[in-house]
Amino acid sequence: MTTPSSTATDARAQAARVTVQPTVDDQRIAAFEERMVDILNHGALCLMISLGHRTRLFDTMAALGPARVETLAHEAGLDQRYVTEWLGALTVGRIIEHDPDAGTYRLPVEHARLLTRAAADNFAAFAQYIPLLGAVEDEIVDCFHHGGGVDYAAFPRFHEVMEEDSAQTVLSALRKHILPLVPGLTERLERGIRVLDIGCGRGRALNELAGWFPNSTFVGYDRSEEAIAYARDTAARRGLDNVTFHVLDAARLAEVEPEGGADLVTTFDAVHDQAEPEAVVRAIRRALADDGVYLAQDIDASSTHHGDVDHPIGPLLYTISCLHCMTVSLAQGGAGLGAMWGRDRAQRLFRGAGFSDVEIHILDHDVQNAYYVCWP
């Protein structure tokens, strides 16, 4: 028997199932369509800019000035047909200028300031992330369906690209801006202290420090055998006898480093990649002397999606995180923090590992990174 109350309940349930059609804004559709066209064109240009960097075409064009395609191909030592098609993409993309009457192509000096190895800010080096990460798209799609991650071994050029990245964002500021964040640190390095760099990659920062401060000793750890071999070769070529490099999972640091044996520990863009970031930071705290300091550089973010909406390179950083930083951690059964874990979560991690004071510094020239000075 149907009661009035049950009838009312059924009516409300039926009403809840009715889908309310949203009002469609045709102008908004048109605007987003235009934006999508821009995205597709800019994505394609990223690939071509990466090619121009890797083949040194931008460097060659900057040196030559206006040149015909056959001259450019010859000077760069490249196949003329491929250079011709590359020039087409960069010309219609308004990055390279073409004089059809003279048959020449020119890289404007203003563009060369942002696309060549001689530039202080070489954006072409960053464009390499797009094809590098696109190469693992199939593996990432599988992770979306089944979980897990993609191992470091799937990214054979990542350390090479990261070295170029950090050379501009970190190394260029290391001596003048980053070391002075710790009062008296430069003077201590000059007198002689023991320094560890965890997740050192190809050792670019540590080899620079070893060259600047011969009275100090430096030890670098990274799980990549390729990166450590490169770091060792670089140190040997430079004749640096105060730096050593070792293959090690950072979570095992406590097994090889004596308690209180380090005066300074650094991590450059390394913590968020770790499978066990809490274990790594606890091991860093254990390795520090009572008057030591931990200096960490990591990606500057808010720890929330809404807080990162206005980040100038937020889409790029979240993409790098999804297709590399997060997934390599998850591949090890790790925490998968991701590059955009942010300031709030970083402070909690550092304090939870036993650091009593955590300072956050943002450098005026650097929109990408935050620098943490952590005291025992």
Side-chain angles (χ1 to χ4, degrees):
M1 174 177 164
T2 303
T3 65
S5 61
S6 64
T7 301
T9 300
D10 291 343
R12 286 194 297 269
Q14 180 66 28
R17 288 194 291 268
V18 175
T19 302
V20 177
Q21 295 297 326
T23 301
V24 177
D25 185 335
D26 290 337
Q27 288 185 333
R28 193 172 185 183
I29 292 175
F32 188 62
E33 180 181 25
E34 185 176 340
R35 185 184 175 203
M36 283 302 306
V37 171
D38 285 342
I39 288 171
L40 290 172
N41 280 327
H42 293 159
L45 285 172
C46 262
L47 293 173
M48 302 309 274
I49 289 170
S50 176
L51 281 170
H53 175 75
R54 295 185 66 185
T55 58
R56 294 183 176 268
L57 275 165
F58 290 128
D59 300 315
T60 304
M61 292 191 77
L64 284 177
R68 297 179 65 85
V69 61
E70 54 268 26
T71 302
L72 176 57
H74 174 76
E75 291 297 319
L78 301 171
D79 182 88
Q80 183 174 323
R81 181 67 190 90
Y82 280 90
V83 173
T84 301
E85 207 72 1
W86 179 82
L87 286 168
L90 275 291
T91 297
V92 300
R94 303 183 186 279
I95 293 171
I96 287 171
E97 295 178 349
H98 175 44
D99 182 344
D101 295 329
T104 59
Y105 296 85
R106 181 179 80 94
L107 178 65
V109 63
E110 295 83 1
H111 296 186
R113 294 287 182 90
L114 297 172
L115 292 173
T116 60
R117 286 172 173 80
D121 298 307
N122 182 8
F123 279 75
F126 293 93
Q128 295 176 99
Y129 281 118
I130 304 306
L132 176 68
L133 299 175
V136 299
E137 183 184 27
D138 287 347
E139 292 90 337
I140 294 294
V141 169
D142 186 72
C143 292
F144 267 79
H145 286 289
H146 303 108
V150 181
D151 191 75
Y152 273 104
F155 303 86
R157 291 191 63 243
F158 199 83
H159 283 292
E160 177 186 342
V161 176
M162 273 298 302
E163 183 184 20
E164 289 192 275
D165 180 336
S166 63
Q168 295 185 83
T169 59
V170 176
L171 285 175
S172 62
L174 185 56
R175 190 163 194 172
K176 185 177 180 181
H177 298 289
I178 299 173
L179 295 181
L181 295 176
V182 183
L185 179 57
T186 299
E187 291 75 15
R188 293 186 68 190
L189 285 163
E190 289 171 346
R191 291 194 298 270
I193 58 175
R194 187 167 184 269
V195 181
L196 311 179
D197 187 23
I198 312 303
C200 65
R202 287 185 161 196
R204 184 79 176 268
L206 208 61
N207 278 325
E208 289 296 326
L209 288 168
W212 295 337
F213 304 108
N215 293 330
S216 290
T217 58
F218 301 86
V219 183
Y221 294 107
D222 198 280
R223 70 189 299 268
S224 169
E225 294 183 5
E226 177 274 326
I228 290 298
Y230 188 97
R232 288 170 175 165
D233 288 345
T234 301
R237 287 197 305 272
R238 295 181 57 180
L240 300 172
D241 58 5
N242 60 332
V243 59
T244 58
F245 294 95
H246 307 277
V247 177
L248 183 77
D249 183 338
R252 295 179 50 223
L253 182 66
E255 299 175 19
V256 298
E257 278 293 326
E259 185 172 359
D263 302 294
L264 169 67
V265 180
T266 59
T267 55
F268 295 107
D269 210 16
V271 172
H272 65 257
D273 285 349
Q274 301 299 322
E276 302 176 66
E278 293 181 3
V280 171
V281 179
R282 284 197 301 269
I284 289 172
R285 172 64 186 89
R286 177 185 178 276
L288 274 176
D290 291 340
D291 62 347
V293 63
Y294 170 38
L295 176 59
Q297 168 260 320
D298 218 292
I299 299 300
D300 183 31
S302 72
S303 299
T304 67
H305 291 171
H306 62 272
D308 293 329
V309 168
D310 293 326
H311 196 299
I313 53 173
L316 173 63
L317 293 173
Y318 269 106
T319 299
I320 294 172
S321 180
C322 183
L323 274 72
H324 182 269
C325 307
M326 180 187 76
T327 196
V328 296
S329 174
L330 293 174
Q332 304 169 69
L337 282 180
M340 301 297 280
W341 64 313
R343 296 180 296 274
D344 291 345
R345 297 176 71 185
Q347 285 191 87
R348 290 199 298 270
L349 178 64
F350 296 148
R351 292 185 185 279
F355 288 99
S356 61
D357 188 18
V358 179
E359 303 171 4
I360 304 177
H361 299 269
I362 306 297
L363 300 179
D364 290 339
H365 76 281
D366 190 346
V367 301
Q368 178 173 313
N369 301 304
Y371 296 85
Y372 301 87
V373 177
C374 307
W375 303 92

